[in-house]
Structure formats: structure tokens, C-alpha cells
């Protein structure tokens, strides 16, 4: 009986060899080297992947990965990392070494918090954190000077994180289906996205209101 149970557990996570991983490397139209290990039924990132550290893009989405390894720090050339639809509960501090990362997709995981080191990804332009269990963002997110798009839908935010107001180039902030609470502590529906506009585009009344709300968020 025990042998059968063990055999059953082993079938849940497939083993990926170096040769198998190499066969999953493809060249994109713009000449980027892309490792596609999505839909592989794995619960951990294969150790053999370390030898493919020269990849420009890595797709590990739609698996059952519970923990992301520290050896990710070796992938210093990577510009795109897709980890959506896994079982991640935390990110390693080592992710801060991915200084060329432009796109990070962590949607549909089990994240309850993020390391402050995430704010060291100076070239990051798109960050998708939707469908997690986040209630707050580290203040360091405000230091992501190149960030243009951030997805925070389907989390546990009760208000717009103040650190987002420091993002100079942000174009869209998606916060659909969060329990946003008004000043009187009554649940309210929120718009699909938040957009930043130039002050000259606002009327005097709207401008004063925006400035007052921004001041309030920064004081907290």
C-alpha cells in the first residue's frame, strides 16, 4: 500500500532533465533566447536549469511551483520572467540580482508579501501581481523609476498603496476586485484602472482634490 502511495506521489511532479530543458529553448522573432517550461506539471524549478542561465526570457507559468530557488540570481541577462499560475507563497531576496528584468508576471499565486529588494529592479517596466493575497506593497516599489504598468487586481488592498504615487512613468494601475474602503469605512466599488494625467488636464476643483488625497496618503 505504501509503495503504491509513493508511486502516486511521484507521478504528480515530472522530472525535467537538462536535455529536456534544452529542447524547450526557442528563439523569438526578435532574436531572444526563450526557455519555455510552462505546463510541465513540476512542483519545483529543476536544478538543471542553472546551466541555462544565459536565457533572455524564462516561462515557468502554469505549473505547481511552491518555492523559487536562489540560483535565479545567476540569470542576470533575463528580461522576462513569467511565473503566473503557480503556488508561490514568497519570493527570494535573490530576485534583486535580475537587474535587466523588464517584465515580471507573478499573477495567480499565493503571495501574502513581497521582499523590499523588489524595488532594486531598476529596469522593470511591467509588474503583474494580480490574483494573490497581498494587503500591502513594500515602500521600495516607489523606487521603480521605469515601471509603467502594475497589476494588483484580485488581492486584499483596502486602499491605493501610497508608494505608487512616487512612480513617475506609470501609465496604468489595475486594482479591480479589491476590498477598497472609503473614508467612512463602507465598501465601495472601484474603477477598472487608475491613470496618471498631467496637472494641466485637470480643472481647478479636481486638481485640489487630487493634491489633498496625495498629501493624505503620504502622511500615513
Amino acid at each position: 500500500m505504501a509503495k503504491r502511495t509513493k508511486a502516486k506521489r511521484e507521478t504528480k511532479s515530472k522530472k525535467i532533465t537538462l536535455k529536456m530543458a534544452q529542447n524547450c529553448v526557442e528563439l523569438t522573432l526578435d532574436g531572444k533566447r526563450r526557455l519555455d517550461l510552462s505546463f510541465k506539471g513540476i512542483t519545483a524549478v529543476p536544478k538543471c536549469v542553472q546551466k541555462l542561465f544565459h536565457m533572455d526570457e524564462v516561462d515557468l507559468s502554469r505549473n505547481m511551483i511552491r518555492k523559487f530557488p536562489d540560483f535565479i540570481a545567476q540569470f542576470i541577462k533575463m528580461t522576462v520572467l513569467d511565473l503566473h499560475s503557480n503556488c508561490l507563497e514568497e519570493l527570494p531576496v535573490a530576485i534583486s540580482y535580475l537587474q535587466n528584468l523588464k517584465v515580471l508576471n507573478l499573477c495567480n499565486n499565493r503571495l501574502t508579501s513581497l521582499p523590499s529588494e523588489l524595488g532594486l529592479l531598476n529596469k522593470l517596466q511591467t509588474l503583474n501581481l494580480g490574483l494573490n493575497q497581498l494587503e500591502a506593497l513594500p515602500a521600495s516599489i516607489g523606487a521603480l523609476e521605469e515601471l509603467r504598468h502594475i497589476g494588483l487586481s484580485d488581492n486584499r488592498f483596502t486602499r491605493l498603496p501610497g508608494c505608487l504615487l512616487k512612480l513617475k512613468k506609470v501609465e496604468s494601475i489595475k486594482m479591480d476586485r479589491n476590498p477598497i474602503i472609503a473614508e467612512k469605512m463602507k465598501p465601495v466599488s472601484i474603477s477598472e484602472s487608475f491613470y496618471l494625467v498631467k496637472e494641466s488636464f485637470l480643472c481647478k476643483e479636481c486638481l485640489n482634490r487630487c493634491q489633498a488625497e496625495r498629501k493624505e496618503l503620504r502622511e500615513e
Side-chain angles (χ1 to χ4, degrees):
M1 183 70 178
K3 291 183 178 180
R4 289 183 180 179
T5 303
K6 183 177 180 181
K8 186 176 181 180
R9 288 177 179 174
E10 289 177 347
T11 59
K12 289 184 178 180
S13 180
K14 297 181 180 180
K15 183 178 180 180
I16 303 293
T17 64
L18 178 58
K19 185 175 182 180
M20 292 171 64
Q22 289 174 329
N23 289 334
C24 293
V25 176
E26 42 189 49
L27 199 64
T28 64
L29 293 176
D30 55 351
K32 299 290 182 63
R33 292 162 296 189
R34 184 172 185 270
L35 174 62
D36 186 357
L37 290 178
S38 61
F39 285 113
K40 298 300 180 184
I42 53 178
T43 59
V45 180
K47 292 182 179 180
C48 64
V49 170
Q50 296 182 68
K51 296 185 178 180
L52 301 176
F53 63 88
H54 56 288
M55 293 292 107
D56 299 300
E57 302 179 3
V58 176
D59 186 353
L60 289 162
S61 66
R62 290 158 289 197
N63 283 295
M64 297 174 286
I65 299 172
R66 300 188 184 93
K67 185 177 181 181
F68 207 56
D70 287 334
F71 66 68
I72 186 62
Q74 300 174 29
F75 288 69
I76 56 176
K77 293 183 179 181
M78 184 162 55
T79 59
V80 177
L81 176 57
D82 193 346
L83 287 164
H84 87 266
S85 302
N86 275 287
C87 302
L88 294 172
E89 296 183 356
E90 61 181 4
L91 290 180
V93 172
I95 199 169
S96 63
Y97 288 94
L98 307 181
Q99 291 296 301
N100 286 305
L101 200 63
K102 294 183 178 180
V103 178
L104 177 57
N105 190 354
L106 296 167
C107 179
N108 195 21
N109 277 281
R110 301 174 182 175
L111 299 171
T112 57
S113 63
L114 300 170
S116 60
E117 287 77 9
L118 200 61
L120 297 175
L121 302 179
N122 298 322
K123 296 182 179 180
L124 195 64
Q125 296 179 7
T126 300
L127 176 60
N128 192 347
L129 297 167
L131 284 166
N132 278 285
Q133 301 169 31
L134 299 170
E135 296 181 3
L137 295 178
S140 60
I141 293 294
L144 297 175
E145 297 182 354
E146 297 300 320
L147 194 63
R148 289 169 169 76
H149 308 282
I150 180 167
L152 300 172
S153 303
D154 298 286
N155 276 281
R156 299 177 179 177
F157 295 100
T158 57
R159 67 184 308 161
L160 180 71
C163 61
L164 300 183
L165 297 175
K166 298 179 181 180
L167 300 174
K168 299 178 180 179
K169 295 185 178 181
V170 71
E171 298 174 8
S172 66
I173 302 173
K174 294 186 177 180
M175 294 198 68
D176 320 345
R177 295 173 297 281
N178 274 281
I180 301 295
I181 299 177
E183 294 180 1
K184 295 182 180 180
M185 303 303 288
K186 292 181 180 180
V188 296
S189 60
I190 60 174
S191 59
E192 291 294 311
S193 306
F194 289 91
Y195 295 93
L196 296 187
V197 298
K198 293 182 178 179
E199 291 184 357
S200 57
F201 292 169
L202 298 174
C203 66
K204 185 176 181 180
E205 182 179 351
C206 292
L207 178 60
N208 291 337
R209 182 177 178 183
C210 289
Q211 291 176 337
E213 290 180 353
R214 175 175 292 188
K215 182 178 179 181
E216 181 183 347
L217 285 173
R218 287 177 172 173
E219 289 177 348
E220 292 184 354

mmCIF file of all heavy atoms in Angstrom, residues 143-182:
data_model
loop_
_atom_site.group_PDB
_atom_site.id
_atom_site.type_symbol
_atom_site.label_atom_id
_atom_site.label_comp_id
_atom_site.label_asym_id
_atom_site.label_seq_id
_atom_site.Cartn_x
_atom_site.Cartn_y
_atom_site.Cartn_z
ATOM 1 N N ALA A 143 10.470 53.161 -5.837
ATOM 2 C CA ALA A 143 11.775 53.474 -6.420
ATOM 3 C C ALA A 143 11.935 52.906 -7.825
ATOM 4 O O ALA A 143 12.970 53.114 -8.465
ATOM 5 C CB ALA A 143 12.889 52.933 -5.524
ATOM 6 N N LEU A 144 10.921 52.205 -8.328
ATOM 7 C CA LEU A 144 10.993 51.608 -9.663
ATOM 8 C C LEU A 144 10.717 52.692 -10.719
ATOM 9 O O LEU A 144 9.594 52.858 -11.173
ATOM 10 C CB LEU A 144 9.990 50.459 -9.785
ATOM 11 C CG LEU A 144 10.241 49.271 -8.842
ATOM 12 C CD1 LEU A 144 9.117 48.257 -8.954
ATOM 13 C CD2 LEU A 144 11.590 48.622 -9.168
ATOM 14 N N GLU A 145 11.738 53.389 -11.094
ATOM 15 C CA GLU A 145 11.607 54.556 -11.960
ATOM 16 C C GLU A 145 11.107 54.249 -13.362
ATOM 17 O O GLU A 145 10.553 55.116 -14.036
ATOM 18 C CB GLU A 145 12.951 55.284 -12.038
ATOM 19 C CG GLU A 145 13.407 55.843 -10.696
ATOM 20 C CD GLU A 145 14.707 56.609 -10.813
ATOM 21 O OE1 GLU A 145 15.287 56.604 -11.915
ATOM 22 O OE2 GLU A 145 15.129 57.219 -9.812
ATOM 23 N N GLU A 146 11.305 53.021 -13.856
ATOM 24 C CA GLU A 146 10.886 52.679 -15.216
ATOM 25 C C GLU A 146 9.535 51.957 -15.252
ATOM 26 O O GLU A 146 9.055 51.620 -16.335
ATOM 27 C CB GLU A 146 11.953 51.790 -15.884
ATOM 28 C CG GLU A 146 13.309 52.463 -16.073
ATOM 29 C CD GLU A 146 13.199 53.699 -16.952
ATOM 30 O OE1 GLU A 146 12.454 53.654 -17.951
ATOM 31 O OE2 GLU A 146 13.855 54.709 -16.631
ATOM 32 N N LEU A 147 8.933 51.728 -14.107
ATOM 33 C CA LEU A 147 7.677 50.976 -14.066
ATOM 34 C C LEU A 147 6.547 51.742 -14.739
ATOM 35 O O LEU A 147 6.269 52.887 -14.408
ATOM 36 C CB LEU A 147 7.295 50.665 -12.615
ATOM 37 C CG LEU A 147 6.194 49.616 -12.431
ATOM 38 C CD1 LEU A 147 6.648 48.266 -12.982
ATOM 39 C CD2 LEU A 147 5.816 49.479 -10.972
ATOM 40 N N ARG A 148 5.887 51.068 -15.687
ATOM 41 C CA ARG A 148 4.800 51.699 -16.443
ATOM 42 C C ARG A 148 3.441 51.041 -16.182
ATOM 43 O O ARG A 148 2.417 51.704 -16.227
ATOM 44 C CB ARG A 148 5.113 51.658 -17.939
ATOM 45 C CG ARG A 148 6.247 52.601 -18.339
ATOM 46 C CD ARG A 148 6.707 52.332 -19.761
ATOM 47 N NE ARG A 148 7.595 53.365 -20.256
ATOM 48 C CZ ARG A 148 8.872 53.498 -19.925
ATOM 49 N NH1 ARG A 148 9.410 52.637 -19.064
ATOM 50 N NH2 ARG A 148 9.624 54.465 -20.424
ATOM 51 N N HIS A 149 3.464 49.748 -15.931
ATOM 52 C CA HIS A 149 2.207 49.024 -15.727
ATOM 53 C C HIS A 149 2.322 48.118 -14.500
ATOM 54 O O HIS A 149 3.279 47.353 -14.392
ATOM 55 C CB HIS A 149 1.869 48.170 -16.954
ATOM 56 C CG HIS A 149 1.901 48.930 -18.247
ATOM 57 N ND1 HIS A 149 0.878 49.763 -18.634
ATOM 58 C CD2 HIS A 149 2.850 49.004 -19.224
ATOM 59 C CE1 HIS A 149 1.183 50.305 -19.804
ATOM 60 N NE2 HIS A 149 2.376 49.873 -20.176
ATOM 61 N N ILE A 150 1.342 48.206 -13.618
ATOM 62 C CA ILE A 150 1.330 47.343 -12.443
ATOM 63 C C ILE A 150 -0.078 46.790 -12.233
ATOM 64 O O ILE A 150 -1.059 47.538 -12.228
ATOM 65 C CB ILE A 150 1.829 48.088 -11.177
ATOM 66 C CG1 ILE A 150 1.806 47.129 -9.974
ATOM 67 C CG2 ILE A 150 1.022 49.347 -10.900
ATOM 68 C CD1 ILE A 150 2.566 47.664 -8.774
ATOM 69 N N GLY A 151 -0.182 45.484 -12.103
ATOM 70 C CA GLY A 151 -1.468 44.826 -11.912
ATOM 71 C C GLY A 151 -1.629 44.348 -10.475
ATOM 72 O O GLY A 151 -0.809 43.573 -9.975
ATOM 73 N N LEU A 152 -2.659 44.838 -9.811
ATOM 74 C CA LEU A 152 -2.909 44.483 -8.408
ATOM 75 C C LEU A 152 -4.331 43.940 -8.214
ATOM 76 O O LEU A 152 -4.819 43.863 -7.089
ATOM 77 C CB LEU A 152 -2.715 45.716 -7.520
ATOM 78 C CG LEU A 152 -1.324 46.362 -7.558
ATOM 79 C CD1 LEU A 152 -1.332 47.671 -6.784
ATOM 80 C CD2 LEU A 152 -0.278 45.420 -6.980
ATOM 81 N N SER A 153 -4.971 43.554 -9.285
ATOM 82 C CA SER A 153 -6.354 43.077 -9.202
ATOM 83 C C SER A 153 -6.479 41.811 -8.353
ATOM 84 O O SER A 153 -5.539 41.033 -8.231
ATOM 85 C CB SER A 153 -6.885 42.779 -10.614
ATOM 86 O OG SER A 153 -6.795 43.903 -11.437
ATOM 87 N N ASP A 154 -7.660 41.633 -7.760
ATOM 88 C CA ASP A 154 -7.980 40.410 -7.012
ATOM 89 C C ASP A 154 -6.989 40.122 -5.880
ATOM 90 O O ASP A 154 -6.454 39.020 -5.758
ATOM 91 C CB ASP A 154 -8.046 39.210 -7.964
ATOM 92 C CG ASP A 154 -9.132 39.367 -9.000
ATOM 93 O OD1 ASP A 154 -10.314 39.220 -8.648
ATOM 94 O OD2 ASP A 154 -8.802 39.663 -10.162
ATOM 95 N N ASN A 155 -6.740 41.136 -5.067
ATOM 96 C CA ASN A 155 -5.925 40.978 -3.875
ATOM 97 C C ASN A 155 -6.736 41.412 -2.659
ATOM 98 O O ASN A 155 -7.960 41.321 -2.678
ATOM 99 C CB ASN A 155 -4.623 41.769 -4.004
ATOM 100 C CG ASN A 155 -3.545 41.010 -4.747
ATOM 101 O OD1 ASN A 155 -2.888 40.139 -4.201
ATOM 102 N ND2 ASN A 155 -3.357 41.344 -6.027
ATOM 103 N N ARG A 156 -6.074 41.928 -1.614
ATOM 104 C CA ARG A 156 -6.769 42.319 -0.395
ATOM 105 C C ARG A 156 -6.491 43.763 0.003
ATOM 106 O O ARG A 156 -6.539 44.122 1.181
ATOM 107 C CB ARG A 156 -6.366 41.371 0.747
ATOM 108 C CG ARG A 156 -6.747 39.913 0.465
ATOM 109 C CD ARG A 156 -6.281 38.992 1.569
ATOM 110 N NE ARG A 156 -6.669 37.595 1.309
ATOM 111 C CZ ARG A 156 -6.341 36.569 2.085
ATOM 112 N NH1 ARG A 156 -5.598 36.780 3.178
ATOM 113 N NH2 ARG A 156 -6.734 35.354 1.768
ATOM 114 N N PHE A 157 -6.200 44.597 -0.973
ATOM 115 C CA PHE A 157 -5.915 46.005 -0.696
ATOM 116 C C PHE A 157 -7.199 46.733 -0.299
ATOM 117 O O PHE A 157 -8.233 46.566 -0.934
ATOM 118 C CB PHE A 157 -5.315 46.678 -1.923
ATOM 119 C CG PHE A 157 -3.965 46.150 -2.313
ATOM 120 C CD1 PHE A 157 -3.837 45.228 -3.338
ATOM 121 C CD2 PHE A 157 -2.825 46.578 -1.646
ATOM 122 C CE1 PHE A 157 -2.596 44.739 -3.703
ATOM 123 C CE2 PHE A 157 -1.574 46.087 -1.990
ATOM 124 C CZ PHE A 157 -1.460 45.158 -3.028
ATOM 125 N N THR A 158 -7.090 47.536 0.740
ATOM 126 C CA THR A 158 -8.241 48.340 1.163
ATOM 127 C C THR A 158 -8.126 49.780 0.683
ATOM 128 O O THR A 158 -9.047 50.555 0.833
ATOM 129 C CB THR A 158 -8.368 48.334 2.703
ATOM 130 O OG1 THR A 158 -7.150 48.814 3.281
ATOM 131 C CG2 THR A 158 -8.651 46.923 3.207
ATOM 132 N N ARG A 159 -6.967 50.111 0.092
ATOM 133 C CA ARG A 159 -6.771 51.426 -0.493
ATOM 134 C C ARG A 159 -5.573 51.389 -1.435
ATOM 135 O O ARG A 159 -4.805 50.442 -1.433
ATOM 136 C CB ARG A 159 -6.572 52.483 0.581
ATOM 137 C CG ARG A 159 -5.274 52.341 1.379
ATOM 138 C CD ARG A 159 -5.228 53.371 2.482
ATOM 139 N NE ARG A 159 -5.467 54.689 1.925
ATOM 140 C CZ ARG A 159 -5.844 55.735 2.660
ATOM 141 N NH1 ARG A 159 -6.044 55.583 3.968
ATOM 142 N NH2 ARG A 159 -6.031 56.910 2.120
ATOM 143 N N LEU A 160 -5.433 52.415 -2.237
ATOM 144 C CA LEU A 160 -4.308 52.506 -3.162
ATOM 145 C C LEU A 160 -3.010 52.690 -2.374
ATOM 146 O O LEU A 160 -2.884 53.629 -1.592
ATOM 147 C CB LEU A 160 -4.499 53.696 -4.101
ATOM 148 C CG LEU A 160 -3.396 53.921 -5.144
ATOM 149 C CD1 LEU A 160 -3.441 52.834 -6.197
ATOM 150 C CD2 LEU A 160 -3.560 55.293 -5.793
ATOM 151 N N PRO A 161 -2.034 51.788 -2.533
ATOM 152 C CA PRO A 161 -0.761 51.918 -1.811
ATOM 153 C C PRO A 161 -0.077 53.253 -2.105
ATOM 154 O O PRO A 161 0.068 53.640 -3.269
ATOM 155 C CB PRO A 161 0.064 50.739 -2.350
ATOM 156 C CG PRO A 161 -0.958 49.732 -2.771
ATOM 157 C CD PRO A 161 -2.082 50.553 -3.329
ATOM 158 N N GLY A 162 0.326 53.958 -1.059
ATOM 159 C CA GLY A 162 0.929 55.272 -1.211
ATOM 160 C C GLY A 162 2.201 55.277 -2.029
ATOM 161 O O GLY A 162 2.509 56.267 -2.697
ATOM 162 N N CYS A 163 2.958 54.157 -2.038
ATOM 163 C CA CYS A 163 4.227 54.113 -2.769
ATOM 164 C C CYS A 163 4.027 54.277 -4.274
ATOM 165 O O CYS A 163 4.930 54.705 -4.986
ATOM 166 C CB CYS A 163 4.973 52.810 -2.477
ATOM 167 S SG CYS A 163 4.075 51.309 -2.962
ATOM 168 N N LEU A 164 2.819 53.965 -4.763
ATOM 169 C CA LEU A 164 2.551 54.071 -6.195
ATOM 170 C C LEU A 164 2.531 55.524 -6.667
ATOM 171 O O LEU A 164 2.733 55.802 -7.843
ATOM 172 C CB LEU A 164 1.218 53.394 -6.537
ATOM 173 C CG LEU A 164 1.126 51.900 -6.208
ATOM 174 C CD1 LEU A 164 -0.213 51.349 -6.660
ATOM 175 C CD2 LEU A 164 2.264 51.132 -6.873
ATOM 176 N N LEU A 165 2.307 56.437 -5.756
ATOM 177 C CA LEU A 165 2.262 57.854 -6.111
ATOM 178 C C LEU A 165 3.653 58.392 -6.441
ATOM 179 O O LEU A 165 3.788 59.480 -6.997
ATOM 180 C CB LEU A 165 1.653 58.663 -4.973
ATOM 181 C CG LEU A 165 0.199 58.322 -4.623
ATOM 182 C CD1 LEU A 165 -0.242 59.111 -3.404
ATOM 183 C CD2 LEU A 165 -0.708 58.614 -5.808
ATOM 184 N N LYS A 166 4.676 57.628 -6.112
ATOM 185 C CA LYS A 166 6.039 58.062 -6.375
ATOM 186 C C LYS A 166 6.535 57.607 -7.747
ATOM 187 O O LYS A 166 7.622 58.001 -8.177
ATOM 188 C CB LYS A 166 6.973 57.527 -5.288
ATOM 189 C CG LYS A 166 6.645 58.028 -3.894
ATOM 190 C CD LYS A 166 7.596 57.436 -2.864
ATOM 191 C CE LYS A 166 7.263 57.922 -1.465
ATOM 192 N NZ LYS A 166 8.170 57.351 -0.446
ATOM 193 N N LEU A 167 5.747 56.776 -8.418
ATOM 194 C CA LEU A 167 6.145 56.257 -9.722
ATOM 195 C C LEU A 167 5.955 57.334 -10.795
ATOM 196 O O LEU A 167 4.835 57.724 -11.098
ATOM 197 C CB LEU A 167 5.322 55.013 -10.056
ATOM 198 C CG LEU A 167 5.475 53.849 -9.067
ATOM 199 C CD1 LEU A 167 4.501 52.737 -9.411
ATOM 200 C CD2 LEU A 167 6.920 53.328 -9.081
ATOM 201 N N LYS A 168 7.020 57.773 -11.399
ATOM 202 C CA LYS A 168 6.983 58.899 -12.320
ATOM 203 C C LYS A 168 6.503 58.528 -13.721
ATOM 204 O O LYS A 168 5.939 59.352 -14.428
ATOM 205 C CB LYS A 168 8.377 59.540 -12.410
ATOM 206 C CG LYS A 168 8.873 60.086 -11.080
ATOM 207 C CD LYS A 168 10.267 60.673 -11.218
ATOM 208 C CE LYS A 168 10.762 61.213 -9.883
ATOM 209 N NZ LYS A 168 12.148 61.768 -10.004
ATOM 210 N N LYS A 169 6.730 57.284 -14.145
ATOM 211 C CA LYS A 169 6.391 56.897 -15.517
ATOM 212 C C LYS A 169 5.203 55.946 -15.609
ATOM 213 O O LYS A 169 4.892 55.473 -16.693
ATOM 214 C CB LYS A 169 7.613 56.248 -16.184
ATOM 215 C CG LYS A 169 8.792 57.187 -16.361
ATOM 216 C CD LYS A 169 9.918 56.514 -17.134
ATOM 217 C CE LYS A 169 11.087 57.471 -17.346
ATOM 218 N NZ LYS A 169 12.182 56.817 -18.120
ATOM 219 N N VAL A 170 4.553 55.682 -14.503
ATOM 220 C CA VAL A 170 3.452 54.722 -14.524
ATOM 221 C C VAL A 170 2.311 55.210 -15.410
ATOM 222 O O VAL A 170 1.960 56.383 -15.413
ATOM 223 C CB VAL A 170 2.943 54.445 -13.090
ATOM 224 C CG1 VAL A 170 2.201 55.629 -12.523
ATOM 225 C CG2 VAL A 170 2.078 53.192 -13.059
ATOM 226 N N GLU A 171 1.757 54.290 -16.196
ATOM 227 C CA GLU A 171 0.661 54.598 -17.111
ATOM 228 C C GLU A 171 -0.649 53.952 -16.668
ATOM 229 O O GLU A 171 -1.721 54.496 -16.916
ATOM 230 C CB GLU A 171 1.026 54.126 -18.530
ATOM 231 C CG GLU A 171 2.249 54.828 -19.104
ATOM 232 C CD GLU A 171 2.676 54.234 -20.432
ATOM 233 O OE1 GLU A 171 1.933 53.381 -20.969
ATOM 234 O OE2 GLU A 171 3.767 54.592 -20.919
ATOM 235 N N SER A 172 -0.572 52.798 -16.039
ATOM 236 C CA SER A 172 -1.799 52.140 -15.588
ATOM 237 C C SER A 172 -1.566 51.349 -14.310
ATOM 238 O O SER A 172 -0.509 50.749 -14.115
ATOM 239 C CB SER A 172 -2.342 51.206 -16.672
ATOM 240 O OG SER A 172 -1.453 50.130 -16.900
ATOM 241 N N ILE A 173 -2.570 51.415 -13.425
ATOM 242 C CA ILE A 173 -2.562 50.656 -12.172
ATOM 243 C C ILE A 173 -3.907 49.942 -12.090
ATOM 244 O O ILE A 173 -4.939 50.580 -11.921
ATOM 245 C CB ILE A 173 -2.390 51.575 -10.951
ATOM 246 C CG1 ILE A 173 -1.093 52.383 -11.061
ATOM 247 C CG2 ILE A 173 -2.388 50.751 -9.665
ATOM 248 C CD1 ILE A 173 -0.940 53.435 -9.991
ATOM 249 N N LYS A 174 -3.893 48.640 -12.228
ATOM 250 C CA LYS A 174 -5.136 47.886 -12.197
ATOM 251 C C LYS A 174 -5.408 47.361 -10.786
ATOM 252 O O LYS A 174 -4.591 46.646 -10.218
ATOM 253 C CB LYS A 174 -5.081 46.722 -13.193
ATOM 254 C CG LYS A 174 -5.007 47.190 -14.639
ATOM 255 C CD LYS A 174 -5.095 46.024 -15.596
ATOM 256 C CE LYS A 174 -5.096 46.526 -17.043
ATOM 257 N NZ LYS A 174 -5.181 45.410 -18.021
ATOM 258 N N MET A 175 -6.561 47.718 -10.238
ATOM 259 C CA MET A 175 -6.931 47.294 -8.890
ATOM 260 C C MET A 175 -8.355 46.739 -8.831
ATOM 261 O O MET A 175 -9.056 46.888 -7.835
ATOM 262 C CB MET A 175 -6.777 48.457 -7.913
ATOM 263 C CG MET A 175 -5.355 48.905 -7.717
ATOM 264 S SD MET A 175 -5.110 49.884 -6.215
ATOM 265 C CE MET A 175 -5.390 48.650 -4.950
ATOM 266 N N ASP A 176 -8.768 46.089 -9.893
ATOM 267 C CA ASP A 176 -10.107 45.512 -9.924
ATOM 268 C C ASP A 176 -10.301 44.514 -8.777
ATOM 269 O O ASP A 176 -9.388 43.790 -8.393
ATOM 270 C CB ASP A 176 -10.347 44.754 -11.243
ATOM 271 C CG ASP A 176 -9.760 45.461 -12.446
ATOM 272 O OD1 ASP A 176 -9.425 46.632 -12.307
ATOM 273 O OD2 ASP A 176 -9.644 44.818 -13.490
ATOM 274 N N ARG A 177 -11.505 44.496 -8.256
ATOM 275 C CA ARG A 177 -11.928 43.480 -7.270
ATOM 276 C C ARG A 177 -11.018 43.406 -6.040
ATOM 277 O O ARG A 177 -10.585 42.333 -5.637
ATOM 278 C CB ARG A 177 -12.032 42.102 -7.946
ATOM 279 C CG ARG A 177 -13.133 42.058 -9.007
ATOM 280 C CD ARG A 177 -13.112 40.774 -9.783
ATOM 281 N NE ARG A 177 -11.869 40.604 -10.535
ATOM 282 C CZ ARG A 177 -11.599 41.211 -11.693
ATOM 283 N NH1 ARG A 177 -12.484 42.021 -12.232
ATOM 284 N NH2 ARG A 177 -10.452 40.990 -12.304
ATOM 285 N N ASN A 178 -10.738 44.572 -5.464
ATOM 286 C CA ASN A 178 -10.084 44.663 -4.161
ATOM 287 C C ASN A 178 -11.082 45.255 -3.179
ATOM 288 O O ASN A 178 -11.961 46.027 -3.578
ATOM 289 C CB ASN A 178 -8.837 45.554 -4.243
ATOM 290 C CG ASN A 178 -7.607 44.787 -4.671
ATOM 291 O OD1 ASN A 178 -6.983 44.087 -3.888
ATOM 292 N ND2 ASN A 178 -7.259 44.906 -5.953
ATOM 293 N N PRO A 179 -10.992 44.925 -1.903
ATOM 294 C CA PRO A 179 -11.946 45.469 -0.916
ATOM 295 C C PRO A 179 -11.623 46.899 -0.516
ATOM 296 O O PRO A 179 -11.374 47.194 0.657
ATOM 297 C CB PRO A 179 -11.788 44.507 0.269
ATOM 298 C CG PRO A 179 -10.365 44.067 0.191
ATOM 299 C CD PRO A 179 -10.076 43.935 -1.284
ATOM 300 N N ILE A 180 -11.609 47.780 -1.504
ATOM 301 C CA ILE A 180 -11.313 49.187 -1.244
ATOM 302 C C ILE A 180 -12.353 49.759 -0.287
ATOM 303 O O ILE A 180 -13.555 49.584 -0.457
ATOM 304 C CB ILE A 180 -11.321 50.003 -2.545
ATOM 305 C CG1 ILE A 180 -10.281 49.443 -3.519
ATOM 306 C CG2 ILE A 180 -11.059 51.474 -2.261
ATOM 307 C CD1 ILE A 180 -8.856 49.579 -3.045
ATOM 308 N N ILE A 181 -11.888 50.475 0.742
ATOM 309 C CA ILE A 181 -12.776 51.036 1.758
ATOM 310 C C ILE A 181 -12.726 52.558 1.715
ATOM 311 O O ILE A 181 -11.655 53.159 1.657
ATOM 312 C CB ILE A 181 -12.373 50.541 3.168
ATOM 313 C CG1 ILE A 181 -12.487 49.008 3.217
ATOM 314 C CG2 ILE A 181 -13.241 51.186 4.237
ATOM 315 C CD1 ILE A 181 -12.039 48.418 4.526
ATOM 316 N N ALA A 182 -13.896 53.163 1.747
ATOM 317 C CA ALA A 182 -13.984 54.621 1.731
ATOM 318 C C ALA A 182 -13.639 55.190 3.099
ATOM 319 O O ALA A 182 -13.450 54.459 4.070
ATOM 320 C CB ALA A 182 -15.397 55.047 1.321
#
